[in-house]
Amino acid sequence: MLELAYLRADREDARARLSKRNIDADALLAKALELDEHRRSTQNALDSRLAELNELSRSIGELMKGGKKDEADAARARTTDLKARTQELKEELDAAEKALHDHLCTIPNAPHAQVPPGRTPEDNVTVMQEGAIPELPADAKPHWELGEEYDLLHMDLGVKVTGAGFPVYSGQGARLQRALIAFFLDQATAAGYREIIPPHLVNAASAFATGQLPDKEGQMYHATVDDLYLIPTAEVPITNLYRDEIVDRAKLPVRLVGYTPCFRREAGSYGAHVRGLNRVHQFDKVEIVRIEEPEKSYAALEEMVAHVKGLLRALELPYRQLLLCGGDMGFASAMTYDMEVYAAAQKRWLEVSSISNFETFQSNRLKLRMRGDDKKPRLAHTLNGSALALARIVAALLENNQTPEGIRIPKALQPYTGFDMIRKWTAA
RNA sequence: GGAGAGGUGGCAGAGCGGUCGAAUGCGGCGGUCUUGAAAACCGCUUUGCCCGCAAGGGCAACGGGGGUUCGAAUCCCUCCCUCUCCGCCA
């Protein structure tokens, strides 16, 4: 949620930035300011009535104490109309605040000045690309075939146990999964991130604060009996650790990392391009989260990108960095880089990380503030990024590293897997 | 799941119908003193919104919501949460 103070103080800047999302920024802003105007005038009226009422009550108290019962009764009689009026105004204010809040919830974050214009993924800017694209023989197999062949991955078993899009990993496939998680966590920890194991279900307040509600309601699994949501990313519980907090500036930046499974309904996504691990309902991800001073958040964003690049390099995967255009960015983000790896058998790029600066969009909902020298609390900036999302990394690793002898494991991962090659499994 | 107790400021902990945004202690910040530090002493120390250039002023908040009352942290209802005991259990 954008800050009202910002919209009021710098409407032109807000309009210019929001326009990159190809929305009618003018209309949205005009309505917001109009609703705000109404809210303020209502509150002014209410506050004056309440002040009168408070004054009357005080005087009644004194009159009672002084034994002047008649005068007290007279004053008491005068409160009746005032009370009725405050009641009306109170209801009006509640309605005005709700209308304003609801409207603000429909406005996406304002893209940063550097975000390129555009409507579709075609308009994203490739910032850089690195790593050789493997030349595979014509009979190279996509990861879902390799998964079955080497007994690593079974989509059909997931269907039996749960439903489509719930992968089952087995043998060296399961071990590879665990190795990647441990590797990513160790790398992040070495880079100064503090490890967190958060809950995998969150309440509605948490889902709202990071922007999943109400914007992406249908994306989350909802456990209705307890009104809890399965997390679509560790970002939700980890960022919410700091909800309603005022962090001392000396404690910034906050750097956190957490591994969790992620659950996404991905309703309506079917077809050949989502086969295998390309898009699933449950996947593992290591997420990094940062809380920063506003002045430092974009430097932090670049640091996070550099960290992720280091991981991809260590995994010897060809990758590219995309700066998302205004039309392709997430609702809550002010600037997003996507990292994609090349899956050589499918001959396509797969998104394995999305690294975003939310500026104050989340912290405004979170009420996550920092206290600087001026001792007046101000909203902090929040950022997060995948480092990394496993399912697609596994897909690329399997495809790119297939050889006639087996599937090669990158050197950096070998201490974690305990093997350097995935081979056909046979019962001993 | 059953029974009981309780939710107040950064923490501990008073208040139980009127000037209480809230005693007191601890912590924190500033100052006096000191060569320096400690101790002692003095002062300050929640947040949001509104009006105002500012100085300053107003409103709201004592787990959430609702009610009684001229007036509620204090009384009533309801929901949530925490703790203790019992049950169940990885």
Side-chain angles (χ1 to χ4, degrees), chain A residues 69-174:
Chain A
K69 188 160 181 318
D70 291 350
E71 287 180 50
D73 284 343
R76 196 172 297 170
R78 274 189 283 143
T79 64
T80 313
D81 284 352
L82 260 181
K83 278 185 70 176
R85 184 66 186 131
T86 58
Q87 191 54 40
E88 285 169 27
L89 285 166
K90 181 75 172 70
E91 282 163 23
E92 197 177 329
L93 181 62
D94 287 346
E97 282 177 342
K98 183 174 188 313
L100 176 61
H101 181 263
D102 288 352
H103 178 65
L104 288 176
C105 281
T106 67
I107 303 178
N109 200 353
H112 185 271
Q114 281 175 29
V115 170
R119 292 178 175 277
T120 68
E122 312 291 300
D123 300 316
N124 295 335
V125 172
T126 302
V127 178
M128 57 85 76
Q129 181 177 331
E130 190 180 286
I133 305 290
E135 296 289 338
L136 296 183
D139 62 348
K141 293 170 180 163
H143 69 268
W144 53 88
E145 285 180 24
L146 295 166
E148 294 290 345
E149 185 178 332
Y150 288 90
D151 194 3
L152 308 170
L153 167 68
H154 305 279
M155 299 306 291
D156 54 344
L157 286 177
V159 170
K160 173 160 71 179
V161 174
T162 304
F166 290 88
V168 171
Y169 301 96
S170 52
Q172 287 181 294

Side-chain angles (χ1 to χ4, degrees), chain A residues 228-256:
Chain A
L228 296 172
Y229 295 86
L230 273 73
I231 56 172
T233 160
E235 159 197 350
V236 181
I238 292 180
T239 310
N240 271 281
L241 259 21
Y242 281 81
R243 174 150 48 88
D244 295 319
E245 295 288 329
I246 300 177
V247 184
D248 201 75
R249 186 161 82 168
K251 299 240 170 77
L252 295 178
V254 172
R255 296 189 197 87
L256 302 172

Side-chain angles (χ1 to χ4, degrees), chain A residues 54-69 71-72:
Chain A
N54 286 342
E55 184 48 43
L56 261 181
S57 293
R58 251 188 297 273
S59 70
I60 290 173
E62 275 162 32
L63 289 170
M64 294 296 278
K65 214 171 287 179
K68 300 171 182 167
K69 188 160 181 318
E71 287 180 50

Side-chain angles (χ1 to χ4, degrees), chain A residues 197-216:
Chain A
I197 299 182
H200 297 175
L201 281 84
V202 294
N203 55 33
S206 294
F208 170 78
T210 38
Q212 279 69 33
L213 291 179
D215 320 318
K216 303 182 206 162

